[in-house]
Amino acid sequence: PHWLLDVKDGNFSIRDSSIDGPNLDKPGYEGLIHFASTRPADDSKTETLTGEIRNSFLRTSKIALSGDMVSRNLILENSVFAANTRVFDLRVPIAAASVSMIDLAACTLAAGEEYFHIEMLPGSGANNKPAPSVRIVADGTVFGPPLQPDGKSEEKKPLLISGVPPESIASVVEWWEYACAYSNQIGLPNAGGSRSGREPLAEWKQIAGAGHIMRPLAGPNAVLLPRDLPAAKELAQGD
């Protein structure tokens, strides 16, 4: 199968679970959870669907969660998400009748390549000005060191947010956080260029907006784990 769980215009709930993807490369396997939407983003009467994951441990050699953020809320609490490629692979409308939400509370994330990859849904918001259609709220969450990829690859920092230019992030995603920690081994959004003399966290705070990032922790000793994280298939909950 392409996905362990494939949800189409529906809700899902995972609690008190430990979920693993295949340890070996399987043809066609893409990741753990996929949620698709066939509903228009500009329909204000559309019911908001929910996916919740609580007290769980999810690991995969591919993508952890992938789907359309159209009238969809994700509630993630006290859980670990580890993916060799992307933790979140999201398709979002340019403008929507209602803002979808990702609520991260007391979670730990580790990725090999990207923590949040964002792609715009084709044709969305054709008659609307771009506006944030997804709100991400993180509370007491750890954006941990990267997983080691399977096999040889170029060493580079995995990105916190990719798919959209740093200067455009705030027009697509409304980011709020309180008391979160960032490993210094991941790449935070920054404006780039030689004129940028700020610390990575200061750059990210400016991009997210004044007052959107409260009590953050970053730097070489911000996130300390018992060992460097291996590839997902060798990861244990004790890590």
Side-chain angles (χ1 to χ4, degrees):
H2 296 292
W3 304 95
L4 178 72
L5 178 66
D6 197 354
V7 183
K8 296 179 180 178
D9 290 329
N11 302 301
F12 68 90
S13 178
I14 296 171
R15 301 182 185 181
D16 306 304
S17 301
S18 181
I19 300 176
D20 285 320
N23 284 335
L24 301 175
D25 268 344
K26 299 287 184 181
Y29 171 67
E30 296 183 56
L32 294 181
I33 300 171
H34 180 256
F35 42 91
S37 174
T38 60
R39 303 168 306 167
D42 57 358
D43 186 357
S44 60
K45 297 181 181 179
T46 299
E47 175 192 2
T48 299
L49 301 173
T50 301
E52 66 165 337
I53 301 175
R54 301 180 191 270
N55 310 320
S56 295
F57 177 81
L58 282 73
R59 66 177 179 179
T60 174
S61 62
K62 300 292 186 177
I63 297 168
L65 294 100
S66 173
D68 305 327
M69 294 302 293
V70 177
S71 297
R72 163 74 65 181
N73 291 338
L74 298 177
I75 302 171
L76 314 172
E77 180 182 333
N78 192 39
S79 296
V80 172
F81 302 89
N84 272 11
T85 58
R86 300 167 177 170
V87 177
F88 292 94
D89 185 24
L90 306 174
R91 286 166 297 283
V92 306
I94 294 174
S98 60
V99 176
S100 296
M101 181 185 226
I102 300 176
D103 187 349
L104 286 161
C107 289
T108 298
L109 280 61
E113 297 176 4
E114 298 151 319
Y115 289 74
F116 294 87
H117 179 83
I118 297 169
E119 181 181 332
M120 307 311 296
L121 281 165
S124 63
N127 299 317
N128 298 297
K129 293 181 179 180
S133 55
V134 175
R135 180 178 297 123
I136 298 176
V137 179
D139 185 6
T141 286
V142 173
F143 300 95
L147 292 172
Q148 299 302 312
D150 288 319
K152 296 181 180 179
S153 65
E154 296 181 4
E155 288 190 9
K156 58 180 180 180
K157 287 186 175 183
L159 302 176
L160 179 68
I161 298 178
S162 68
V164 293
E167 63 272 14
S168 300
I169 289 175
S171 66
V172 179
V173 174
E174 184 183 333
W175 181 285
W176 296 88
E177 74 170 68
Y178 182 79
C180 293
Y182 294 95
S183 167
N184 67 323
Q185 298 178 44
I186 67 177
L188 298 179
N190 65 80
S194 58
R195 290 180 294 177
S196 176
R198 298 186 183 89
E199 292 295 323
L201 183 59
E203 286 270 348
W204 173 217
K205 290 173 76 171
Q206 183 186 39
I207 290 169
H212 282 232
I213 296 179
M214 304 294 292
R215 294 191 63 203
L217 190 63
N221 295 313
V223 180
L224 300 177
L225 300 180
R227 61 167 177 159
D228 290 340
L229 295 183
K233 64 183 180 181
E234 300 170 4
L235 190 71
Q237 294 194 37
D239 291 322

PDB file of all heavy atoms in Angstrom, residues 92 138 168:
ATOM      1  N   VAL A  92      -1.885  23.261   0.702  1.00  0.00           N
ATOM      2  CA  VAL A  92      -2.757  24.269   1.311  1.00  0.00           C
ATOM      3  C   VAL A  92      -3.318  25.185   0.236  1.00  0.00           C
ATOM      4  O   VAL A  92      -2.657  25.464  -0.773  1.00  0.00           O
ATOM      5  CB  VAL A  92      -2.002  25.091   2.379  1.00  0.00           C
ATOM      6  CG1 VAL A  92      -1.345  24.190   3.410  1.00  0.00           C
ATOM      7  CG2 VAL A  92      -0.948  25.970   1.730  1.00  0.00           C
ATOM      8  N   ALA A 138       2.085  25.744  18.267  1.00  0.00           N
ATOM      9  CA  ALA A 138       2.957  24.783  18.941  1.00  0.00           C
ATOM     10  C   ALA A 138       3.161  25.218  20.388  1.00  0.00           C
ATOM     11  O   ALA A 138       3.490  26.373  20.661  1.00  0.00           O
ATOM     12  CB  ALA A 138       4.298  24.689  18.219  1.00  0.00           C
ATOM     13  N   SER A 168       7.542  34.563   2.082  1.00  0.00           N
ATOM     14  CA  SER A 168       6.130  34.289   1.788  1.00  0.00           C
ATOM     15  C   SER A 168       5.461  33.403   2.836  1.00  0.00           C
ATOM     16  O   SER A 168       4.260  33.142   2.745  1.00  0.00           O
ATOM     17  CB  SER A 168       6.002  33.624   0.412  1.00  0.00           C
ATOM     18  OG  SER A 168       6.525  34.452  -0.608  1.00  0.00           O
TER      19      SER A 168
END
